[in-house]
Amino acid sequence: MTEAAAAGAPPALNAAQRKLVRQVRHPLLIRIFLIAKLPLGFFAGLRVKSLERQRCETTVPFGWRSQNPFRSVYFAAQAMAAELSTGALAMLALRGEEASVAMLIVGLDAEFGKKAVSKVTFTCEDGEKIFAAVAETVATGEAAVVDVETVGRMADGTEVARFRFRW
């Protein structure tokens, strides 16, 4: 047993997972990924700010591509950034697994507290829950359901939205 495992620290990322982290953090490679897999996210300007085993942060800018007629970030643009903050963690958990596991959103709940009038950062800190669900599915061959939450805040700390996804 390693010292990190003995201390209760999460296992280190495997090589495939580390490669994914580098790819989503690279300015050009994330744009290529978004064009290929999430073109509306590319158009809206979504970015992955950080991706670790425990958490992911994504951003959606405030601007003409992402705003609604009421001069705030459109709820659909916020939903894309929110989903990406949980979906990137799911992709990370799946990377390097031998078994074929499909991640699919089966439920969504959202609350909007304040008007988003600047760039919004969504933070999901439920990475370990996602990793556990993937491990359960790989071990049993049965579908596992996991509920995760991501919170959107503007730079001044104002919470603008809270999304709960069921994967």
Side-chain angles (χ1 to χ4, degrees):
M1 181 181 277
T2 66
E3 287 182 39
L13 297 177
N14 64 40
Q17 292 166 332
R18 289 190 305 272
K19 182 179 179 182
L20 176 66
V21 170
R22 285 191 306 274
Q23 289 172 336
V24 299
R25 294 286 302 125
H26 190 280
L28 178 60
L29 296 178
I30 187 60
R31 285 180 174 95
I32 292 169
F33 170 81
L34 289 171
I35 288 170
K37 303 292 184 184
L38 191 61
L40 287 175
F42 171 80
F43 182 76
L46 300 186
R47 295 288 178 267
V48 177
K49 187 173 177 181
S50 70
L51 177 59
E52 304 163 10
R53 184 182 171 94
Q54 300 87 355
R55 71 193 309 252
C56 180
E57 290 182 314
T58 60
T59 62
V60 60
F62 174 73
W64 70 272
R65 297 177 298 173
S66 63
Q67 76 178 356
N68 61 28
F70 308 107
R71 298 175 148 305
S72 62
V73 179
Y74 185 49
F75 83 93
Q78 291 184 58
M80 283 191 297
E83 189 270 338
L84 182 59
S85 72
T86 64
L89 287 167
M91 288 175 24
L92 188 63
L94 291 169
R95 194 55 61 106
E97 287 292 339
E98 296 296 321
S100 176
V101 178
M103 294 293 292
L104 184 64
I105 292 178
V106 296
L108 163 67
D109 180 46
E111 297 170 12
F112 299 92
K114 297 284 183 178
K115 192 173 179 177
V117 294
S118 66
K119 178 168 79 172
V120 178
T121 299
F122 281 91
T123 306
C124 178
E125 296 182 336
D126 290 336
E128 291 302 327
K129 289 170 67 174
I130 294 171
F131 270 79
V134 168
E136 179 183 336
T137 297
V138 168
T140 66
E142 298 294 320
V145 175
V146 61
D147 293 316
V148 296
E149 182 174 75
T150 184
V151 178
R153 291 185 173 85
M154 293 185 291
D156 66 1
T158 302
E159 183 177 313
V160 296
R162 186 173 290 261
F163 285 79
R164 284 169 290 285
F165 292 95
R166 175 166 281 180
W167 286 92

